[in-house]
Amino acid sequence: MEPILMLAGFAASAGLGIGGTLLLGRLRKWDAEKEASQIIERAEMQAQARHKDAEIEAKELAMAEKSKIEEQMNSVRQQLHERERQLDKQEDVLQSRASQLEKQEKMVESNQRRLAEQLEDAGRRQSELDDLLDVERQTLHQLSGLSAEEATKQLLERLDTELANEQGARIMRAEKALAEKCDAKAKELLITSVQRFAAAHTAEATTSTVDIPSDEMKGRIIGREGRNIRSFEKETGVDVIIDDTPGVVIVSSFDPVRREVARIALGKLIADGRIHPTRIEELVKETEVEVEGEIKRFGEEAAQEVGVHGLHDKVIHLLGRLRYRTSYSQNVLRHSIEVAFVTGLLAEEMGYDGDLARRAGLLHDIGKAADHDAEGGHPKIGADLLKRYGENEVVVHAALGHHDDIRPDMPYTVMCAAADACSASRPGARRETLDRYIKRMQELEAIATGFQGVHQAFAIQAGREVRVIANTKQTTDESAAKICRDIAQAFEKQLTYPGEIRVTMIRESRFTGTAK
């Protein structure tokens, strides 16, 4: 019994377990279905919400597109209205132009009618004039007794004469214009070259002074019975002037080199204190050697400064001697260096060889270093020296012709002469005060105008030339030539001057007619 009860218990418990399991499964299924329905419901609600959002976005996009389209339409409408206004304006302009054209056409038609009437009138008058000319021509033939061919021949001959005169006048005007243009160009080149070069001018004296410590030294220089000063003057070839001027002794000589040797030697003697003939001879010889060395150095430095190379040793020595030569108190070596630079600048401005021009300018006054040793003017002496020492033809010709002693056939000679005039002729380049310069020029002009028959006189080129204008009513060509010679002789008698003064007499007649 008990086993049956146990089995019944087992079966009941098993049935309860199975029923519980089935019930539990159904409950789970019901929960799942409920959950699924909830998920579906939520999904549907989300779908509906998204659908509404999509509809709202679509409506917003549609409204935005609509507003853009409306804006574009408004812009297009405005453009169309603007074009309509422009077309209206153009139409108004065209209408006004059309009305103006109509008025102009009417005016042209009126003018054409008037021109046609005037042409008809002119043709009628021309025919009347032709008839009158025929009558006059026949009358002239009858009165002159010339045929048409003869009258034509005379008319052509007269026309040839008039044309020849007109041609000559045109040639003269062209030559005058060309001369003025060349003169202006030459002045421009000179001004440009002088402006590009600036040089300092040093005035030199023709005498030298030597300072002495006391007047007692003057007696020692003179020596017993004057033997020291005689020995010094004999060795140096200068004049020693000892006067009452305190503290100085003056050395005077026409030879600047000797004067320099004497000045240096005298300074050495005073410093040494031993002054006697033997010591004088020794110091003078020693100083001569020093000065010769200085001369060579000055020549080499001048050539190097200008950039001229390959000069003969003798030419360099002569060039250095110019350091001790003066003209109107202007140092000739510095003058030559300035002329060299200005000549080179002129040549470069005109397209010529600047190096050759500077060489010619540097050596143009080389004859002044030896003019006391030879006969003739310094241009000829310099040309002979340069030719002897192997300089080329251009440099020789420039030295010979820079003062117009010969016809300047080479352009370098003309440029050298122009540069020489620029350096030497202007006031201030030489040791002259402005008052003294003006006074000398006025003296020249006053002497020239003092002669009968002289209308005006002009001193030019720092007094190297005087141009005299003759009065044509009071003089003839022959008397003008005599007055020119008399003026030159008056300059020789009344004035003291270096070099030469050229007197140029100008006499001309001018007649002026006015055609009205």
Side-chain angles (χ1 to χ4, degrees):
M1 195 65 177
E2 287 180 4
I4 294 171
L5 287 174
M6 291 176 63
L7 287 173
F10 284 132
S13 60
L16 288 173
I18 291 169
T21 301
L22 291 174
L23 180 62
L24 182 60
R26 287 179 181 179
L27 288 172
R28 287 179 178 175
K29 181 178 180 183
W30 181 79
D31 290 336
E33 289 177 356
K34 186 177 179 181
E35 186 179 358
S37 64
Q38 289 177 355
I39 291 170
I40 292 169
E41 185 178 357
R42 285 198 301 272
E44 289 177 354
M45 290 176 65
Q46 290 176 359
Q48 289 176 1
R50 290 181 179 177
H51 182 67
K52 288 180 181 180
D53 293 338
E55 287 179 355
I56 292 170
E57 289 178 0
K59 287 180 181 180
E60 290 177 353
L61 290 174
M63 290 177 68
E65 290 295 330
K66 185 178 179 180
S67 63
K68 288 182 180 179
I69 292 171
E70 287 178 355
E71 290 177 359
Q72 292 176 358
M73 292 296 292
N74 291 331
S75 176
V76 171
R77 287 192 191 96
Q78 290 178 359
Q79 292 177 0
L80 290 174
H81 288 316
E82 183 66 27
R83 289 184 180 178
E84 287 178 358
R85 285 195 295 271
Q86 291 178 358
L87 289 173
D88 292 338
K89 290 181 181 179
Q90 291 178 358
E91 186 177 358
D92 294 339
V93 172
L94 290 174
Q95 288 178 356
S96 64
R97 288 183 179 178
S99 62
Q100 291 177 359
L101 287 174
E102 290 177 359
K103 292 179 181 178
Q104 291 177 358
E105 287 178 357
K106 292 179 181 179
M107 292 176 63
V108 169
E109 290 176 357
S110 176
N111 291 332
Q112 286 179 349
R113 286 194 298 271
R114 286 198 298 270
L115 286 173
E117 293 174 357
Q118 291 176 0
L119 287 173
E120 184 178 357
D121 187 30
R124 185 171 59 255
R125 291 185 178 182
Q126 183 66 36
S127 61
E128 292 176 358
L129 289 173
D130 291 339
D131 295 338
L132 289 173
L133 287 173
D134 290 337
V135 174
E136 289 181 357
R137 190 180 296 109
Q138 292 175 3
T139 304
L140 287 172
H141 286 320
Q142 292 175 0
L143 293 175
S144 63
L146 297 175
S147 63
E149 292 78 6
E150 293 174 348
T152 302
K153 183 177 179 181
Q154 289 186 3
L155 183 61
L156 290 175
E157 289 176 354
R158 184 180 301 173
L159 182 61
D160 289 338
T161 304
E162 292 178 357
L163 288 176
N165 294 333
E166 179 67 20
Q167 185 179 13
R170 286 180 177 272
I171 291 173
M172 291 178 65
R173 286 197 297 270
E175 290 178 348
K176 183 179 179 181
L178 181 61
E180 292 176 353
K181 186 175 181 181
C182 291
D183 186 56
K185 185 64 177 177
K187 290 179 180 177
E188 179 184 355
L189 289 173
L190 281 173
I191 291 170
T192 302
S193 300
V194 172
Q195 285 178 343
R196 286 177 60 189
F197 176 75
H201 298 282
T202 303
E204 301 286 345
T206 55
T207 59
S208 300
T209 59
V210 180
D211 296 332
I212 58 176
S214 63
D215 290 340
E216 183 268 337
M217 183 61 68
K218 291 183 179 180
R220 297 179 61 185
I221 293 172
I222 296 172
R224 183 179 299 174
E225 297 179 355
R227 64 173 186 172
N228 289 344
I229 194 171
R230 285 197 302 273
S231 175
F232 186 83
E233 290 178 344
K234 179 181 178 182
E235 292 295 331
T236 58
V238 303
D239 294 328
V240 180
I241 301 173
I242 300 176
D243 53 17
D244 296 334
T245 305
V248 294
V249 174
I250 298 174
V251 177
S252 176
S253 173
F254 288 105
D255 190 331
V257 177
R258 289 182 179 179
R259 188 172 67 246
E260 182 68 10
V261 170
R263 184 186 67 81
I264 297 173
L266 186 57
K268 289 181 178 180
L269 284 170
I270 294 172
D272 183 55
R274 296 175 294 169
I275 305 176
H276 52 81
T278 304
R279 185 59 179 166
I280 290 172
E281 183 179 356
E282 292 175 358
L283 282 180
V284 168
K285 290 182 179 179
E286 177 184 333
T287 305
E288 287 177 349
V289 174
E290 292 179 4
V291 171
E292 287 296 320
E294 288 291 308
I295 289 173
K296 183 178 180 182
R297 182 174 64 84
F298 286 137
E300 292 174 347
E301 288 178 354
Q304 185 176 3
E305 180 180 352
V306 179
V308 174
H309 306 288
L311 294 175
H312 193 277
D313 291 341
K314 186 62 176 177
V315 175
I316 292 176
H317 182 268
L318 291 172
L319 193 62
R321 285 179 64 90
L322 293 179
R323 172 64 177 78
Y324 302 102
R325 177 69 187 263
T326 59
S327 177
Y328 278 107
S329 301
Q330 182 186 25
N331 188 277
V332 178
L333 181 58
R334 297 310 307 172
H335 163 71
S336 299
I337 292 172
E338 180 179 353
V339 171
F341 279 116
V342 176
T343 307
L345 293 171
L346 279 172
E348 291 169 356
E349 289 285 342
M350 300 175 67
Y352 289 96
D353 187 350
D355 294 335
L356 183 58
R358 281 187 288 272
R359 193 182 191 96
L362 180 64
L363 302 179
H364 79 286
D365 268 347
I366 199 72
K368 289 185 177 181
D371 56 1
H372 61 283
D373 298 328
E375 295 182 358
H378 74 272
K380 184 178 183 303
I381 295 172
D384 292 340
L385 288 172
L386 293 175
K387 188 175 181 180
R388 183 188 308 168
Y389 296 122
E391 288 295 328
N392 62 51
E393 185 181 0
V394 172
V395 179
V396 174
H397 194 275
L400 183 61
H402 71 276
H403 280 319
D404 296 330
D405 295 331
I406 60 173
R407 181 178 178 180
D409 296 328
M410 297 184 180
Y412 293 95
T413 304
V414 178
M415 289 184 284
C416 184
D420 179 63
C422 289
S423 173
S425 299
R426 62 178 180 271
R430 296 180 172 185
R431 192 177 182 181
E432 276 188 318
T433 63
L434 182 61
D435 294 339
R436 204 172 150 198
Y437 176 84
I438 294 174
K439 182 179 179 181
R440 185 159 59 88
M441 303 291 275
Q442 289 175 344
E443 286 178 352
L444 291 171
E445 294 175 355
I447 292 173
T449 53
F451 284 82
Q452 182 70 25
V454 174
H455 177 59
Q456 286 179 316
F458 304 97
I460 60 176
Q461 293 188 6
R464 290 183 178 180
E465 182 178 356
V466 178
R467 294 189 179 179
V468 183
I469 310 299
N471 189 325
T472 55
K473 295 181 180 180
Q474 299 179 1
T475 60
T476 62
D477 289 345
E478 292 76 11
S479 63
K482 184 178 183 302
I483 293 171
C484 181
R485 180 178 177 82
D486 292 342
I487 292 172
Q489 291 178 351
F491 288 160
E492 293 177 357
K493 294 178 181 178
Q494 301 180 29
L495 300 177
T496 301
Y497 52 88
E500 298 177 348
I501 299 177
R502 179 181 298 176
V503 181
T504 302
M505 176 69 74
I506 301 172
R507 181 183 182 275
E508 63 177 357
S509 299
R510 295 188 182 184
F511 305 96
T512 303
T514 304
K516 298 182 179 179

